């Protein structure tokens, strides 16, 4: 629905954004938009950085573990994607290598919290310092874990800081339809301040029809997913999400501990979140996956 004619839709979106920002150490100026999913949030983050940078041949620099949606955004928006190998020991972003990859055409740095392949949070504070040194925006892809990671930290989990409390972080994407447990079609793109959000917008007033100002890729949007997210966030509440985080974290610990006792299997890295990558040089890993599926793992 058009928020100018349906102000309740705008109010729901504003309140959902505020609920999530409250857990990400955001300042009073922080803002954001409700999108259809992580891909749209990431595409808009790249679009905002591209338009801010105004380079003839723009590129973004990211670790190879960053989500494929950044490659998709680069393809759609004409932004070259420069992929940098991760640290071979930690499997987290190699900050020094990323700094070396920056050129005069770089418009954005990317880190993950956590990355999809290994469930690891990149060294965001180090990336933030690199971004500040080069006057570049830094986007943190928290689509898969950004919502629950603050609860993990409250439970004592240790991983690199990743939110707006980190100097240099300018935007964060967070999916609510993953570990926020809301119905599908719910993500947020959050900005430290409205300046970068301004570059996210599309406006058209020089045609014979009505004035168009879109904050997302979609023009008209259904208020259904926004209302559903608002309802679930309020129903589960802070205590409910803390309990969910505890149960998920404990399950991950049991899984990692159990796999680690099997000589033929190896857990890649030390997962910070509910994504666990298992490899083997001896066992057929796809046979392991088949056997797990037969036992109810999907």
């Amino acid at each position: 629905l058009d928020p100018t004619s349906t102000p309740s839709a705008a109010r729901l979106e504003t309140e959902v954004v505020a609920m999530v920002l409250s857990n990400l150490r955001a300042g009073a100026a922080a803002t954001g938009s409700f999108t259809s999913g992580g891909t749209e949030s990431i595409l808009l983050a790249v679009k905002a950085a591209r338009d801010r940078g105004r380079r003839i041949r723009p590129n973004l620099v990211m670790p190879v573990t960053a989500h494929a949606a950044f490659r998709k955004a680069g393809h759609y928006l004409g932004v070259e994607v420069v992929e940098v190998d991760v640290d071979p020991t930690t499997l987290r972003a190699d900050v020094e290598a990323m700094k070396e990859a920056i050129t005069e055409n770089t418009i954005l740095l990317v880190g993950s919290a956590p990355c999809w392949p290994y469930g690891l949070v990149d060294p965001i504070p180090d990336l933030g310092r690199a971004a500040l040194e080069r006057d570049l925006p830094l986007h943190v892809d928290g689509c898969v874990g950004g919502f629950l990671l603050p609860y993990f930290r409250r439970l004592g989990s240790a991983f690199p800081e990743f939110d707006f409390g980190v100097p240099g972080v300018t935007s964060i994407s967070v999916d609510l339809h993953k570990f926020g447990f809301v119905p599908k079609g719910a993500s947020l793109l959050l900005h430290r301040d409205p300046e970068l959000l301004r570059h996210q917008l599309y406006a058209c007033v020089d045609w014979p029809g009505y004035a168009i100002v879109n904050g997302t890729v979609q023009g008209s949007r259904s208020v259904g997913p926004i209302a559903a997210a608002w309802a679930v966030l309020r129903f589960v509440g802070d205590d409910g999400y803390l309990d969910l985080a505890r149960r998920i974290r404990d399950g991950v610990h049991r899984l990692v501990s159990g796999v680690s006792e099997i000589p033929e299997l190896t857990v890649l890295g030390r997962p910070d979140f509910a994504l666990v990558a298992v490899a083997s040089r001896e066992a057929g890993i796809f046979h392991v996956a088949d056997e797990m599926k037969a036992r109810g793992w999907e």
Side-chain angles (χ1 to χ4, degrees), residues 233-244:
L233 290 174
R234 291 179 64 88
F235 178 78
V236 177
D238 188 65
D239 290 341
Y241 282 116
L242 188 64
D243 180 60
L244 285 166

Side-chain angles (χ1 to χ4, degrees), residues 38-240:
T39 296
E40 185 180 3
S41 292
I42 286 170
L43 190 149
L44 288 169
V46 175
K47 189 267 186 191
R50 184 199 66 177
D51 290 3
R52 169 192 178 274
R54 298 185 182 279
R55 299 290 191 268
I56 296 175
R57 293 183 295 277
N59 69 59
L60 65 85
V61 176
M62 68 181 200
V64 295
T65 48
H67 197 277
F70 288 99
R71 297 158 178 81
K72 186 175 184 178
H75 175 74
Y76 280 0
L77 298 170
V79 176
E80 179 189 3
V81 176
V82 179
E83 301 178 49
V84 179
D85 286 335
V86 295
D87 183 286
T89 301
T90 67
L91 301 179
R92 304 179 195 267
D94 185 333
V95 178
E96 291 304 315
M98 288 181 64
K99 288 168 66 174
E100 291 177 5
I102 295 172
T103 70
E104 61 182 10
N105 290 319
T106 301
I107 49 94
L108 179 66
L109 299 182
V110 173
S112 302
C115 69
W116 186 272
Y118 308 124
L120 301 168
V121 177
D122 285 327
I124 302 301
D126 295 334
L127 284 174
R129 284 189 286 272
L132 289 172
E133 289 171 3
R134 303 296 184 93
D135 189 29
L136 291 171
L138 168 61
H139 179 75
V140 175
D141 175 20
C143 284
V144 68
F147 183 80
L148 272 194
L149 278 173
Y151 292 95
F152 272 47
R153 189 175 296 286
R154 284 166 58 181
L155 293 170
S157 296
F159 45 81
E161 299 283 358
F162 73 94
D163 59 19
F164 289 115
V166 177
V169 172
T170 53
S171 59
I172 304 175
S173 49
V174 178
D175 284 2
L176 301 179
H177 59 220
K178 291 189 172 74
F179 288 92
F181 300 98
V182 311
K184 196 74 173 177
S187 179
L188 299 175
L189 175 58
L190 307 169
H191 295 284
R192 178 183 291 274
D193 59 59
E195 175 59 25
L196 197 55
L197 174 66
R198 182 173 64 84
H199 296 289
Q200 174 188 319
L201 304 178
Y202 173 78
C204 180
V205 296
D206 57 352
W207 73 301
Y210 59 94
I212 294 175
V213 180
N214 295 149
T216 64
V217 174
Q218 301 173 83
S220 297
R221 294 184 293 164
S222 170
V223 76
I226 303 175
W230 182 91
V232 172
L233 290 174
R234 291 179 64 88
F235 178 78
V236 177
D238 188 65
D239 290 341

Side-chain angles (χ1 to χ4, degrees), residues 148 152 155 157 179 242-260 267 271-278 292 297:
L148 272 194
F152 272 47
L155 293 170
S157 296
F179 288 92
L242 188 64
D243 180 60
L244 285 166
R246 181 182 292 106
R247 291 158 58 190
I248 293 169
R249 186 196 62 162
D250 292 348
V252 170
H253 288 172
R254 290 196 300 273
L255 177 61
V256 171
S257 176
V259 172
S260 299
V267 175
D272 298 315
F273 194 61
L275 297 170
V276 180
V278 179
M292 292 178 68
W297 289 76

Side-chain angles (χ1 to χ4, degrees), residues 20 80 123 186 190 204 266 280 295:
V20 179
E80 179 189 3
L190 307 169
C204 180
T266 302
S280 178
R295 287 163 171 76

